[in-house]
Amino acid sequence: MTELREIPGWGVYRAGSDGHIYGHQGTPIRERVNNTGHLTVTLYPSPGVRASAAVHRLIALAFVPNPKGLPVVRHKDDTPSNNVPGNLEWGTLSDNSRDMVERGRHFNASKTHCPQNHPYDEENTLVSTDGFRRCYTCQREQWRASKRRRRAAIMKEVAI
């Protein structure tokens, strides 16, 4: 049996333990998939006010405690359509980005070449302490250019 709980700040709407949103008569609200794969609903929290809301966020507001006041709702199994309370947890933007990189969903994680078309392979990839990949060929050219600029500045001072 689906447990329905009031969604704080959303009036007559209820969140279900099955991961769906229900209206005041207990009827499910129509869900739509947005461009990131998350389910959204259109709600009318007060007369004349229409709002679109992410289902996972509404479910988390009703079912998942957030004692630290964290801003982002994360899917534990990385499936944006799985909105049952046990699959949701609160976190930070950094936590969410880290999850995306670890699971290969981050838009940069699937890139095979740098913007100058050098390959991201074992020999040509530098991984910084913050987890970002950098092209060794491009980085080396930046170091060389910086060295040339410093030499030119020194030569200019010597000439004065």
Side-chain angles (χ1 to χ4, degrees), residues 12-72:
V12 300
Y13 296 100
R14 304 279 183 260
S17 60
D18 60 354
H20 299 288
I21 306 300
Y22 294 85
H24 69 282
Q25 295 177 342
T27 56
I29 303 296
R30 183 174 173 207
E31 301 169 341
R32 291 181 174 83
V33 179
N34 69 10
N35 60 349
T36 62
H38 293 86
L39 298 176
T40 62
V41 290
T42 300
L43 305 178
Y44 299 86
S46 60
V49 177
R50 181 173 72 179
S52 180
V55 172
H56 65 283
R57 186 162 187 83
L58 297 173
I59 298 292
L61 285 169
F63 286 96
V64 182
N66 188 8
K68 295 182 181 178
L70 298 172
V72 177

Side-chain angles (χ1 to χ4, degrees), residues 104-120:
R105 284 194 326 107
H106 193 275
F107 67 95
N108 280 328
S110 60
K111 291 182 179 176
T112 59
H113 289 74
C114 77
Q116 281 66 45
N117 209 29
H118 302 124
Y120 281 132

Side-chain angles (χ1 to χ4, degrees), residues 58-85:
L58 297 173
I59 298 292
L61 285 169
F63 286 96
V64 182
N66 188 8
K68 295 182 181 178
L70 298 172
V72 177
V73 178
R74 302 162 52 205
H75 291 85
K76 293 178 185 177
D77 71 352
D78 202 36
T79 305
S81 61
N82 183 3
N83 296 315
V84 295

